Amino acid sequence: MFIKIILSYLLGYLRISVEGYYIERFINICKIKKITVWNLKRSKEIQLSLNVRVSEFKELCQIAKKARCKIKIEHKKGLPFLLHKYKKRKIFLILLIIVSILIGLSSNFVWNVDIVEENAQEMENIAQDIENAGLKTGTLKSKINTKEIINRIRLQRKDVAWMGIELKGTNAIVKLVKADEKPDIIDENEYCSILSDKEGVITKINAQNGTANVKVGDTVKKGDILINGWMEGKFTGIRYVHSKGEVEAKVWYTKSKKIFYNTTQIQETGNVKNTYAIKINNFEINFLKKLSKFEIYDTIETEKKFKLFSDFYLPISIVKTTYKEQEKIQKQYELEEAKNIGIEELQKELEEEIKNKDKIVNKNINTYEQADGVEIYVTYEVIENIGTNEKIVF
C-alpha cells in the first residue's frame, strides 16, 4: 500500500469529497473494483473526504453516479501538479530534478549505522570494530556482506553472544546481545584442586570432595591451595578427585585519597555559545568560527542527520557545537569538612566495587592530618567466597 501511495504522488492524485446517503455502498464498490483510495476522513454523516489517483478519477465518478453520490475536487496534489505550478521557474525545476536524482542515487548507500545493544549494555569500541569490519556510512549497500561482518566481529570479540544486521532504506540496524562473563569450567571427570583467588582469613571451609588444606582462622594468599584434589584412605591409598567445596574468608578492600585544604575547582558559569555546521558525508561547512571566545570551556558536539522517512537517511547532517564557559574557583576546607568529603567519596567508590554489599561486616576509617591537607584511608571488611578451581597437571 505504501508503494502504491508513493507511486500515486509521482503520477498525481486528487483530494475529493463524496456526499450522499449511500457512502458505504460507494466504498464497497471501490473495494470490489480494486480502486486505490486512502486517507479517508468522514466530516459529516453523509460526507466523506479521500485521496484517489488521477487515472482512476473517471471511473470513480461512474461509481458515484451508481451510488447516487456527488463528487467534488478539493485539492490537486502530486509531482505533475507541482511541476505545472512551477513550469515557468526553470531553475527551480532543474534543481528539483537534480535533487530527485541525487536522492535516488543516495538510496543505494548506507548513511546511518544504528547500534542497538540489549538492555543498554555498552560494549567498549564496538562502533569502531563494526566500522573496521566493513559497515560504515557511505558504503554501497550491494558491497555489504552482513554474514562476513557478523563472523568477523564474533571471532574478534568474546563479549558478543549474538549479532544481527538489517538494512532498511539507507539505515543499517545492528542488534547486539552481550555475552555473560563465565569462569572457565573444568569437566567433572578432570582432577582439580580449589585455590584461593584473594588474600584473606578463613572463616568457613566445607570440603565436600577432596582434602581440606587450611582451617578456620588461617591467613591465605592468592594462589594458596584451600582444598586438595586428592583423598587418602587406609586401604585405598591416595586417589585423585575433582574437588568440591565452599570456602569463605574475610577479605579487605582499601582505598585512599588526599583532600587538600586549599584547592582549585572548575565549575560552569552558565554562559553558553552555540555554533552550527552542515556536514555532507565527511565534508563539513562551518557557518561560524569553531573556536570559542571563552578562556576555559567544555565542548559538547551533537549531530542530527536528515531523513525523509523513518529509515531513509540522507548524507546530510547538522552539527551543533555547544561551548559551556567554565571558571576556576578557589575552595578552602576546614579539617572536618575535608575529612567528610574524602570519606564520602571513598565509601562511594568502594561500594561500587563490592558486588555483595550485604556481606560487609566492618568499616575502618583512618585519617592523617598534614600541613596542606588530610590523607584518608577507608577499609571495608567483607565475607566472600574465595575458592576457584584449578586443574591438576601431572
Side-chain angles (χ1 to χ4, degrees), residues 228-240:
N228 285 306
W230 51 265
M231 296 178 74
E232 187 174 4
K234 185 176 180 181
F235 302 104
T236 59
I238 294 175
R239 60 187 178 90
Y240 291 94

Side-chain angles (χ1 to χ4, degrees), residues 219-282:
T219 300
V220 295
K221 295 179 181 178
K222 186 176 179 179
D224 288 351
I225 297 174
L226 305 175
I227 300 175
N228 285 306
W230 51 265
M231 296 178 74
E232 187 174 4
K234 185 176 180 181
F235 302 104
T236 59
I238 294 175
R239 60 187 178 90
Y240 291 94
V241 296
H242 182 100
S243 291
K244 291 182 181 178
E246 184 183 2
V247 184
E248 286 187 348
K250 286 182 187 176
V251 297
W252 293 269
Y253 291 84
T254 301
K255 283 188 178 291
S256 63
K257 181 176 286 189
K258 186 174 181 178
I259 304 295
F260 293 92
Y261 297 134
N262 296 312
T263 184
T264 302
Q265 294 182 354
I266 294 176
Q267 67 178 28
E268 293 180 0
T269 64
N271 295 327
V272 176
K273 182 187 176 184
N274 295 319
T275 61
Y276 297 89
I278 289 181
K279 193 175 180 182
I280 303 172
N281 199 8
N282 293 320

Side-chain angles (χ1 to χ4, degrees), residues 15-244:
R15 181 70 177 172
I16 64 171
S17 65
V18 181
E19 191 173 346
Y21 291 100
Y22 304 101
I23 289 177
E24 285 78 9
R25 186 186 173 195
F26 171 81
I27 294 169
N28 289 333
I29 296 171
C30 287
K31 285 182 179 178
I32 292 166
K33 299 239 180 222
K34 295 183 179 179
I35 293 174
T36 304
V37 294
W38 70 96
N39 200 12
L40 284 75
K41 189 176 180 181
R42 199 157 192 165
S43 52
K44 294 178 184 177
E45 188 68 28
I46 59 170
Q47 190 174 18
L48 179 72
S49 296
L50 53 92
N51 294 340
V52 64
R53 291 180 187 175
V54 173
S55 59
E56 295 176 333
F57 177 69
K58 190 174 180 181
E59 190 176 357
L60 207 72
C61 290
Q62 293 173 358
I63 294 169
K65 192 174 182 181
K66 285 182 182 179
R68 297 179 186 178
C69 296
K70 292 181 181 179
I71 287 182
K72 182 182 177 183
I73 298 173
E74 293 181 348
H75 301 290
K76 296 178 181 180
K77 296 185 178 182
L79 192 60
F81 299 112
L82 186 67
L83 293 175
H84 179 75
K85 184 179 179 182
Y86 293 102
K87 64 180 179 180
K88 293 183 180 180
R89 302 181 185 181
K90 293 181 181 179
I91 295 174
F92 175 82
L93 182 60
I94 292 166
L95 287 173
L96 185 64
I97 292 169
I98 291 170
V99 169
S100 300
I101 293 169
L102 289 174
I103 290 172
L105 291 172
S106 69
S107 64
N108 297 310
F109 295 83
V110 168
W111 296 116
N112 185 65
V113 178
D114 187 15
I115 299 173
V116 182
E117 297 169 72
E118 187 186 48
N119 300 325
Q121 293 180 314
E122 292 186 7
M123 300 184 193
E124 192 175 353
N125 299 324
I126 188 66
Q128 187 62 49
D129 288 341
I130 290 170
E131 187 175 317
N132 293 339
L135 182 58
K136 57 184 177 180
T137 56
T139 305
L140 198 63
K141 288 195 290 185
S142 60
K143 291 187 176 181
I144 296 173
N145 188 330
T146 55
K147 288 184 179 179
E148 186 181 328
I149 293 167
I150 291 167
N151 289 335
R152 285 183 65 180
I153 295 294
R154 293 289 304 277
L155 288 170
Q156 183 181 348
R157 300 182 65 113
K158 293 182 179 179
D159 59 344
V160 176
W162 180 86
M163 179 178 179
I165 300 173
E166 184 182 6
L167 300 178
K168 293 179 71 176
T170 59
N171 189 28
I173 303 167
V174 181
K175 295 180 180 179
L176 294 160
V177 177
K178 191 173 183 179
D180 294 328
E181 292 184 13
K182 295 180 180 178
D184 293 333
I185 298 172
I186 298 173
D187 192 273
E188 289 284 338
N189 298 319
E190 297 281 355
Y191 303 138
C192 70
S193 298
I194 296 177
L195 276 61
S196 173
D197 57 6
K198 289 179 183 177
E199 186 176 337
V201 175
I202 303 298
T203 58
K204 178 183 175 182
I205 182 162
N206 179 18
Q208 298 169 6
N209 200 24
T211 305
N213 194 50
V214 294
K215 59 183 182 298
V216 174
D218 285 353
T219 300
V220 295
K221 295 179 181 178
K222 186 176 179 179
D224 288 351
I225 297 174
L226 305 175
I227 300 175
N228 285 306
W230 51 265
M231 296 178 74
E232 187 174 4
K234 185 176 180 181
F235 302 104
T236 59
I238 294 175
R239 60 187 178 90
Y240 291 94
V241 296
H242 182 100
S243 291
K244 291 182 181 178

Side-chain angles (χ1 to χ4, degrees), residues 341-352:
I341 290 170
I343 291 167
E344 187 178 337
E345 289 177 359
L346 291 172
Q347 285 182 333
K348 186 178 179 182
E349 290 175 16
L350 283 166
E351 286 171 13
E352 286 176 355

